[in-house]
Amino acid sequence: MIRITALPTDEVRALQSGQPDAYGNRPEHAVSDGAGNPCRHCLRQIPEAAGMLSLAHRPFAALHPYAETGPIFLCADPCTRHVDDGTLPEVLTSSPDYLIKGYGQNDRIVYGTGRVVPTAELMTAAEAILSRADVAYVHVRSARNNCYQARVDRA
């Protein structure tokens, strides 16, 4: 069993209140065009004309060579954190495929786990990676732009 893990609410609320992002900048405010603006907290597309934030995010606690930092979107207004109910959240159904990679307890990529998978195979492929003893969690990223989408953990 596995679960999709969204960004923590306390981290998101800090960013929504103007706290600095991974690069020390205030999140940029914009208006969603309704296409391709996935919130990493509610794991839904930000609706057209809704406020959104663009910011740099590093899904790792410490700086190290594998601590990738990249752009993400968040709803500008407070939203409810995604709760895994066993189905793919909206943001993981809007692309034909995704890049997935396994990471060890040391937050380093476990070589041989990274691959682009069709959306229909996403959860099966993530579960297979998590079956390895040397993998602690999996990141799901955009196959086109490498942007962080969500984390997959063992349930």
Side-chain angles (χ1 to χ4, degrees), residues 35 40-41 44 48 57 60 70 82 86 88 103-104 114 116 120 124 128 136 143:
R40 279 30 174 235
H41 183 250
R44 296 186 174 279
E48 184 175 0
H57 177 68
F60 302 95
H82 168 76
L88 280 179
Y103 290 81
V116 174
T124 303

Side-chain angles (χ1 to χ4, degrees), residues 18-71:
Q19 294 299 310
D21 68 10
Y23 289 150
N25 298 318
R26 291 177 58 97
E28 295 179 3
H29 285 265
V31 175
S32 174
D33 62 7
N37 300 307
C39 176
R40 279 30 174 235
H41 183 250
C42 63
L43 298 184
R44 296 186 174 279
Q45 295 294 336
I46 301 169
E48 184 175 0
M52 68 179 201
L53 302 176
S54 298
L55 58 119
H57 177 68
R58 185 183 69 242
F60 302 95
L63 291 173
H64 55 78
Y66 294 87
E68 297 172 274
T69 303

Side-chain angles (χ1 to χ4, degrees), residues 106-130:
N106 63 356
D107 295 327
R108 280 14 183 218
I109 296 168
V110 176
Y111 287 105
T113 62
R115 63 188 190 117
V116 174
V117 297
T119 301
E121 299 172 21
L122 181 61
M123 297 309 286
T124 303
E127 194 166 17
I129 293 171
L130 283 168

Side-chain angles (χ1 to χ4, degrees), residues 76-135:
D77 294 323
C79 56
T80 302
R81 186 179 190 213
H82 168 76
V83 176
D84 191 330
D85 64 1
T87 62
L88 280 179
E90 181 181 349
V91 301
L92 297 182
T93 63
S94 59
S95 178
D97 49 18
Y98 292 90
L99 169 63
I100 58 174
K101 300 185 244 184
Y103 290 81
Q105 289 287 10
N106 63 356
D107 295 327
R108 280 14 183 218
I109 296 168
V110 176
Y111 287 105
T113 62
R115 63 188 190 117
V116 174
V117 297
T119 301
E121 299 172 21
L122 181 61
M123 297 309 286
T124 303
E127 194 166 17
I129 293 171
L130 283 168
S131 72
R132 293 178 51 155
D134 58 344
V135 173

